[in-house]
Amino acid sequence: MGGDRPSVDEGLALIRGNVRPLPGESVPIDRALGRITAVPLVAARTVPGFRAAAMDGFCLRSQNVAAATPEAPVRLPIAARIAAGTWPVPLRDGSAAGIATGAPVPDGADAIVMIEHSAVETGAAYVTISTPARPGLNIREIGEDAIAGQKVLDAGHVITPDIVAGMAAYGIGQVAVMWSPRVALVVTGSELARDGAAIDPSAIIDANGPMIAATLSSVGAILSASERVGDDLAMLGAALDRVCATDADLVVTTGGASRGDYDFVRQALERRGARILFHGLSMRPGKPILFALLADGRPFFGLPGNPVSACIGMRFFVGQALRAMLGLPDERGLAVISDEQGRDDTTLFLRGTFGRGPSARFETPFDQRSHILSSLMAADHWLRVDRSGGETRRLAFPKTLHFGR
Ligand SMILES: Nc1nc2c(c(=O)[nH]1)N[C@H]1C(S)=C(S)[C@@H](COP(=O)(O)OP(=O)(O)OC[C@H]3O[C@@H](n4cnc5c(N)ncnc54)[C@H](O)[C@@H]3O)O[C@H]1N2
Ligand code: MOO
């Protein structure tokens, strides 16, 4: 491969610029978890919808207890007991009503004194209040969380359990989400066996296929078609034709991305009229990655066969395409302090971990070769190091692809 490969940032920009967002669809709230909001969420209800008690205690008029102290408590008749889920009658001046957290505050009351600052007399007809209260004390005001019609979340958010809680509270029963991307996969390699059963001595077990399937499922994308082929141009071409005939939004291969005698991915693509946007990026590992648009415009990734390189391809580059499809912004790493010096004009992706010591340095004590999966399993973050023009940038990324913020 030539020495004039695009940089990682140029590659990411090419992906962003050539992958269109998918359409949206409407789903009920109980099927929304993990999906991505396609439009801003708007509250259907005002919350709180009424003035509500924030504490268990007594609602009253603050003026009536202005002089209350533990030494000189104020005695008030108990006019009612108000439970949550009931609608109270107005409170008469000079009286108090027992009230439960979440219950509507009656007209005429402007404060709630916590039960801890009260004593109910035998017979429960009177309460003594031993503290003054300011107007509004322990009352949740109407709409202080959200007003009906108000935007409560932007488009482009992964729906998490807390967002499900908000949607339920604000009366949003149905939500517009982005389609789940459908991905077709062709795993190439004559040496690949499916699992540990009776494999011949030169065979290895397919790691990339399961990794790709798992990555997709972890972000709510769908592995919609999957094939395995040996290193043979005709067989690869036929497999590509089959998966491209499906409704996949994106096609991925692993292996055969380099330039050896058995590396046919590029040839098979070119014969099918694909437009290669890059083949090789200035990075290590994962350098031979290929990104193309199929003749019909769908995006295609040829991931290198080395398992760590394939992981990087999925994590950062297929991940970028999925982000573009889902209307999500580019990912931003976290600037960290590390001893890694990088290499001029080559991005390094290093397996690492945040230091456990007080120095807060990012550490990279792992075997960084691209066939060593054990070190990738042990690491918890990627460190991306870019050095150019005397400047070094070090950014940490969570090891696993995710679309949260
Ligand atoms: N002369 C050159 N040789 C290589 C170059 C190069 O530039 N010039 N690049 C190296 C780099 S970097 C990488 S990465 C690999 C890319 O290889 P390919 O994409 O062509 O993949 P293969 O040759 O098929 O396999 C490479 C390696 O990975 C193993 N492999 C393949 N598929 C799987 C899988 N599904 N699960 C687990 N392991 C897999 C395969 O057995 C090989 O060991 O090329 C270098 N060579
Ligand atoms: O970059 Mo390859 O991806 O070194 O093994």
Side-chain angles (χ1 to χ4, degrees), residues 348-371:
L348 300 183
F349 285 102
L350 300 164
R351 282 147 264 184
T353 180
F354 281 98
R356 304 274 181 262
S359 72
R361 294 185 96 72
F362 190 89
E363 293 165 3
T364 47
F366 300 106
D367 186 330
Q368 302 289 347
R369 289 173 296 166
S370 61
H371 62 291

Side-chain angles (χ1 to χ4, degrees), residues 284-288 304 306 309 370:
R284 287 181 83 162
K287 165 188 72 172
N306 274 329
S309 309
S370 61

Side-chain angles (χ1 to χ4, degrees), residues 2-328:
D4 54 352
R5 287 180 284 269
S7 69
V8 165
D9 284 338
E10 287 165 343
L12 292 172
L14 275 166
I15 296 167
R16 170 66 65 181
N18 284 282
V19 177
R20 303 272 79 83
L22 295 173
E25 62 179 325
S26 177
V27 298
I29 175 175
D30 59 357
R31 290 203 288 113
L33 186 68
R35 304 296 297 273
I36 290 162
T37 52
V39 297
L41 290 187
V42 174
R45 298 173 66 99
T46 294
V47 178
F50 49 83
R51 291 197 314 146
M55 294 287 176
D56 295 321
F58 285 88
C59 58
L60 40 72
R61 289 192 191 187
S62 53
Q63 292 164 344
N64 293 161
V65 295
T69 63
E71 296 71 37
V74 171
R75 186 166 178 265
L76 299 172
I78 301 174
R81 298 255 165 202
I82 306 166
T86 60
W87 197 255
V89 298
L91 185 75
R92 271 180 296 106
D93 193 11
S95 66
I99 192 163
T101 302
V105 176
D107 286 346
D110 69 353
I112 289 161
V113 171
M114 286 165 66
I115 207 158
E116 292 85 337
H117 300 301
S118 71
V120 176
E121 291 182 4
T122 319
Y126 286 87
V127 61
T128 50
I129 303 292
S130 54
T131 180
R134 58 172 170 77
L137 182 71
N138 295 324
I139 293 182
R140 303 172 181 163
E141 294 299 339
I142 292 170
E144 66 184 12
D145 188 357
I147 308 270
Q150 175 190 329
K151 182 175 88 174
V152 287
L153 190 76
D154 283 318
H157 274 268
V158 180
I159 296 177
T160 48
D162 48 299
I163 292 173
V164 171
M167 286 171 54
Y170 307 141
I172 305 170
Q174 213 41 49
V175 59
V177 294
M178 303 301 286
W179 268 10
S180 299
R182 299 170 67 80
V183 179
L185 170 66
V186 180
V187 176
T188 78
S190 300
E191 73 278 34
L192 298 178
R194 199 182 294 269
D195 56 34
I199 59 172
D200 103 28
S202 64
I204 60 148
I205 298 169
D206 175 21
N208 297 345
M211 178 277 294
I212 291 167
T215 305
L216 295 174
S217 123
S218 74
V219 294
I222 296 164
L223 181 64
S224 60
S226 177
E227 298 240 4
R228 295 154 55 89
V229 293
D231 297 310
D232 175 277
L233 180 58
M235 276 164 52
L236 171 61
L240 278 178
D241 287 340
R242 281 190 299 274
V243 302
C244 292
T246 69
D247 61 357
D249 303 303
L250 168 70
V251 179
V252 176
T253 62
T254 108
S258 192
R259 296 289 175 90
D261 291 344
Y262 303 100
D263 296 332
F264 297 120
V265 168
R266 182 178 183 135
Q267 248 177 293
L269 282 176
E270 282 173 340
R271 288 194 184 176
R272 281 161 183 76
R275 185 153 69 95
I276 313 288
L277 289 165
F278 59 75
H279 184 189
L281 293 177
S282 303
M283 65 176 186
R284 287 181 83 162
K287 165 188 72 172
I289 188 171
L290 184 154
F291 172 56
L293 293 181
L294 298 173
D296 62 11
R298 282 180 294 176
F300 172 97
F301 285 91
L303 304 183
N306 274 329
V308 175
S309 309
C311 285
I312 290 174
M314 278 306 286
R315 169 67 182 81
F316 291 97
F317 300 94
V318 176
Q320 172 79 341
L322 295 174
R323 284 177 172 276
M325 287 180 170
L326 293 167
L328 299 171

